[in-house]
Amino acid sequence: MAPETTPRSLVTTDLVVGGMTCAACVRRVEKKLSALEGVTATVNLATGRARVQYPADLGTAPLVEAVEKAGYSATIPELRSGRDHMEEDGQRGRTLPQRLVVTALLAVPVMVISMAPSLQFRNWQWLCFALTAPVASWGAFPFHQRALRGLRHGAATMDTLVSLGVLASFSWSAYALFLGGAGEPDTRMPFTLLPTGSPGVAHVYLEAAVGVPLFVLLGRHLEARARRATTAALRSLAELGVKEVTVREGGAERRVPAEQLAVGQVFVVRPGERVATDGVVIEGASAVDLSLVTGETRPVEVSPGSAVTGGSVNAGGLLLVRAAAVGAETQLARITWLVTEAQAGKARAQRLADTVAGVFVPVVLTLAVTVLGFWLGAGADAQPAVTACVAVLVVACPCALGLATPTALMAATGRGAQLGVLVNGPQALESLRQIDTVVLDKTGTLTSGHLGVARMTVREDGLAGDEALRLAAAVESGSEHPLGRAIVAHARRVLGPEAVRSDALTDFAATPGSGVRGRIDGTLVEVRAPNGELPAALDAALTASLDAAHTPVVVHVEGRAEAVVALGDVVRPGSYHAVDRLRRLGVRPVLATGDQEAPARAVASALGIDEVHACCTPERKAALVRELREKGLRVAVVGDGVNDAAALAGADLGIAMGTGTDVAIGAADVTLVRDDIEALADAVRLARRTLATIRGNLLWAFGYNAVTLPLAMVGLLNPMLAAAAMSLSSVLVVLNSLRLRRWQPAPAPARRSRSPRGAVTLAPSGSNGS
C-alpha cells in the first residue's frame, strides 16, 4: 500500500514587487513564482503587488528570492495605515518628475533645432550632441539599468526596447558626427518623418535620442499619476480611520490612540467628529453621515440602542457609544479588505493579454533584427535601415496590455465601494455582467425584516391621513407593545419627531389582546383589534391586510372608525425601483422565500414579480437554483440569512445584503453594503460598463501594435514620433479606465404625491405615504 501523504496547508501573502514596467515583467514574475512547488501567483502591474498562495512550510524567503532571480525587488509589506502608503506614493511620484524636468530642459532645445533647419546655426550639431549625451545616459539611466538587469537574468522587457532604441539613435548620431561627415561646421540637416539616406553625409538622429527617453518618462509620469487616481477610493477608505478617540471611564474623559480602543469601552463622538469604530449608542441622539462608508446619501437618525458604523460622521448632537468591534472586525476594515482583494485578481481577458505580452518583447527584438537585415540586404543605406530598426524597437508597447484590465478594475471596484457595492474580484464582475435571472429572498432583502406600517387606509368622509396617523401614534406612545412602537416609529419618520406629542396623552389605558385608549388634548382615541362593522373602504382594507398576512388595527376617534392600519414586514423603499430596473436591464426577478404563500404573493404582486416560490427550505432554495441553471440560465441569488448560504454558494453569482449574517456574506461574491436592494441594479450596470471599458482598452492595446509595428517596419514612422505614440497608448488606456470613477447610478424616481383622503396603497417604511 502506498504511504498516505498529508496535504500541505496553504497560506496567502502579498509581495511588493519593484522594477516592473510592463506586462512582460508581470508574466516573468508570475512564471518565476509559480515554478516553485505548490505556489500559485497573480501579479498586478497597476498596484505593483503579487498575490501569492504557498505552502506554510515553505516560508516567504524563497518567494522573495524567486522574484529577485527574475531581476526585480520584492518585499513583504508591513501593516501600515493608508496615510503611510500615500506618503510613500508621493515620494515615488517626486523622484520621476525631477529626472523628467532635467531631461525636458536638455531635450527640448535639441528637438527644436534639429527639426527646424532655419534655426540651425554654425556648429549647431555639436551643441545638440553635448545636450544629448546626458539625456541618453543619465536621463535614460533607469531604462538602461533595468534592461541590463533583465539581460543578466535572460529577460527582455519594455525597458530593453527603450534602452536599445536610445543607444542605437545616439550611437548612429555619434558615428555620423565623427565619421560620417555630419560634423562639418556649416552642415544643415532637414527634418523628415521618413528614414532616408543622404549621399555623402550621414543623417543625425539626436532628436530621436532625446525624444525617446523624454516621451517615455513623460508617459510613465502621467501613467503613474493616473494609476494612483484609480486607487483614490481605497485611499479615501483608509483615511476614514480615526487616529485618536475620547474614552469615557468613571465620568472622566481621556484621549487614547484608536488602536488601543477595546470592545465594551465607551467613547465620545462630538458633532463633526468621525465615529472611531463600530458600536451601539448608549446616550444622545443625532444624525450620522454614512455616505463615505456605505454610499447611503441621506443622514441616518440614531438614538440609544442604534448601531453606528466606524468612519461615519456625527452630523448633530453629542453621542456616547459603546464599542462593539475593533480593528479588522469593523465594517470599514472588512470593506477595505474586500476592495483590496478584488483589485488583486485578474479577469480572463487580462490573463490572455499577459500571456501575449510574455512573448511580445522577444518577438519585437526578432522583428527589429529582421527589419535591419532586410533593409541592408535589399541594398538600402545603413542610415534608413538603422532608423527603421530603432522605430520598431521604440514603437512596440506591451505596457498598455498590462494596464488594460487592472486599471479599469481598480477604478470600478473603488467606485463600487463608494456606492455601497463590494465586488469580490474580476470573476464576480464578469459573472455580474452576464446574469439574466436573479432569485430574491423576501424577508430582509426585499422587505425590512421587522415590523412596520405596510398600509394605512382612511375613510372617505373622515379625518385626513396625517391627522389620523398623528392621533394613533400619540395614544400608542404610552404603549410598549411592538404594534404600538411600529406605529409611533412610522409616524415620526413620516410626520417628523415633533408631530408625536406624548405629553398630550391623558387617561391612557391598555387592554391586553384588545388595544389601547386615551385622550389626546381631550379627544378620545382608541387603537384596537377589528371588532364590529366598518365602512366599505375600511372593510376592504381589512380584508386585504388579512389576505397579505398582515396584522390590522382600527383607529377610532370619539367612537367612530377612522382608519385601518396594516402592520407587518414592510417592503424596502428601494425595492420597487430596483425590481423595475432589473427588468429593464434584461434580468428576470424570481421570489423565493421561506414565508407563507399569502405574504409572499402580496409582496410579489406589489413589486410586479411573476414567479413566486413560497415555504422554501434552504435545501429547496438550493434545488431551485440548480433547476434554473440546468435550463441554461445565468443565475444570481440575493439573500441575507443563514438559510440563504447554500443557494448563494450554488449560484453563478451570490449577492449578500451587507446587513445580513456573516455566513451569507462569506458565501457571496458581491456584498451590498447599503441597506438597499436598489444597489443591485447599480452593480449590474457598473459591471457592464466596466467590462465594456476593459474590452475597449484591450482593443486599443492590440490595435495600436497591429497598426504601428508594420508602419515602423516599412520605414513610415520616425523614431521620435514612435516614442510619443508608444507613451500615449498607455496613458490613453489609463485615462479611459479613469472614466469609471465618474460613473453615476440611475437617479431615483420622483415619489408620487399622496392623497390626503381615501385608501393609500402599499407604502414602504420610511416613504412619504401614510
Side-chain angles (χ1 to χ4, degrees), residues 13-16 49 75-82 84-85 88:
T13 189
D14 283 351
L15 293 177
V16 177
R49 294 201 172 205
T75 56
I76 304 295
E78 299 178 2
L79 293 177
R80 295 173 296 174
S81 69
D84 293 335
H85 286 298
E88 181 181 297

Side-chain angles (χ1 to χ4, degrees), residues 114-394:
S114 299
M115 296 170 64
S118 61
L119 299 179
Q120 293 173 3
F121 47 85
R122 185 178 175 84
N123 288 321
W124 65 272
Q125 67 272 44
W126 293 105
L127 173 63
C128 289
F129 181 77
L131 295 175
T132 301
V135 173
S137 55
W138 179 81
F141 178 74
F143 310 117
H144 301 322
Q145 183 184 43
R146 287 191 286 263
L148 184 61
R149 185 188 304 143
L151 183 62
R152 287 201 302 266
H153 295 88
T157 66
M158 187 62 216
D159 294 301
T160 306
L161 303 181
V162 174
S163 177
L164 287 175
V166 172
L167 292 176
S169 300
F170 183 74
S171 300
W172 177 263
S173 298
Y175 161 78
L177 287 173
F178 288 100
L179 302 175
E184 296 298 325
D186 294 323
T187 299
R188 297 290 185 270
M189 199 70 64
F191 176 74
T192 175
L193 295 177
L194 304 179
T196 57
S198 303
V201 179
H203 198 98
V204 293
Y205 284 104
L206 295 173
E207 73 277 7
V210 296
V212 169
L214 174 62
F215 286 127
V216 177
L217 284 172
L218 177 62
R220 289 192 177 174
H221 172 58
L222 296 175
E223 175 191 313
R225 288 188 59 182
R227 280 160 57 180
R228 285 195 295 272
T230 62
T231 61
L234 189 58
R235 294 200 305 275
S236 66
L237 285 173
E239 284 189 313
L240 294 181
V242 176
K243 286 193 171 183
E244 288 189 331
V245 59
T246 302
V247 176
R248 179 173 291 186
E249 292 176 338
E253 296 182 1
R254 60 188 179 92
R255 297 283 289 179
V256 299
E259 57 267 21
Q260 294 182 9
L261 191 64
V263 173
Q265 282 189 302
V266 176
F267 60 93
V268 181
V269 187
R270 292 182 169 81
E273 291 184 342
R274 293 194 183 278
V275 179
T277 192
D278 297 353
V280 178
V281 177
I282 61 174
E283 185 178 316
S286 181
V288 294
D289 182 1
L290 293 167
S291 58
L292 290 178
V293 182
T294 67
E296 179 64 50
T297 56
R298 294 184 298 272
V300 177
E301 298 290 337
V302 295
S303 57
S306 300
V308 289
T309 304
S312 56
V313 178
N314 178 15
L318 181 73
L319 295 176
L320 289 184
V321 181
R322 178 173 284 110
V326 295
E329 301 302 318
T330 64
Q331 183 175 359
L332 180 60
R334 289 198 298 268
I335 291 173
T336 305
W337 181 82
L338 283 171
V339 174
T340 304
E341 288 291 297
Q343 294 182 349
K346 281 191 180 182
R348 287 191 295 269
Q350 185 59 36
R351 295 188 184 278
L352 172 63
D354 287 348
T355 301
V356 172
V359 298
F360 186 82
V361 174
V363 168
V364 170
L365 289 173
T366 303
L367 285 176
V369 174
T370 302
V371 167
L372 179 63
F374 176 81
W375 279 66
L376 293 176
D381 291 340
Q383 176 178 307
V386 171
T387 304
C389 176
V390 171
V392 170
L393 290 172
V394 173

Side-chain angles (χ1 to χ4, degrees), residues 664-752:
I665 294 174
D669 304 295
V670 177
T671 302
L672 307 180
V673 180
R674 291 193 340 236
D675 191 18
D676 181 4
I677 188 63
E678 195 171 342
L680 174 57
D682 293 337
V684 173
R685 289 184 62 241
L686 178 60
R688 294 181 179 180
R689 176 63 63 84
T690 303
L691 269 297
T693 300
I694 290 174
R695 285 198 302 269
N697 286 346
L698 291 173
L699 180 63
W700 165 258
F702 282 109
Y704 161 81
N705 285 291
V707 172
T708 56
L709 269 176
L711 290 177
M713 292 170 64
V714 299
L716 297 178
L717 200 59
N718 181 278
M720 186 181 67
L721 298 182
M726 184 269 290
S727 300
L728 185 62
S729 68
S730 297
V731 175
L732 287 178
V733 162
V734 179
L735 292 178
N736 188 44
S737 297
L738 284 178
R739 294 167 57 213
L740 291 168
R741 294 179 60 211
R742 299 191 299 272
W743 181 87
Q744 293 293 334
R751 297 190 181 277
R752 294 176 296 176

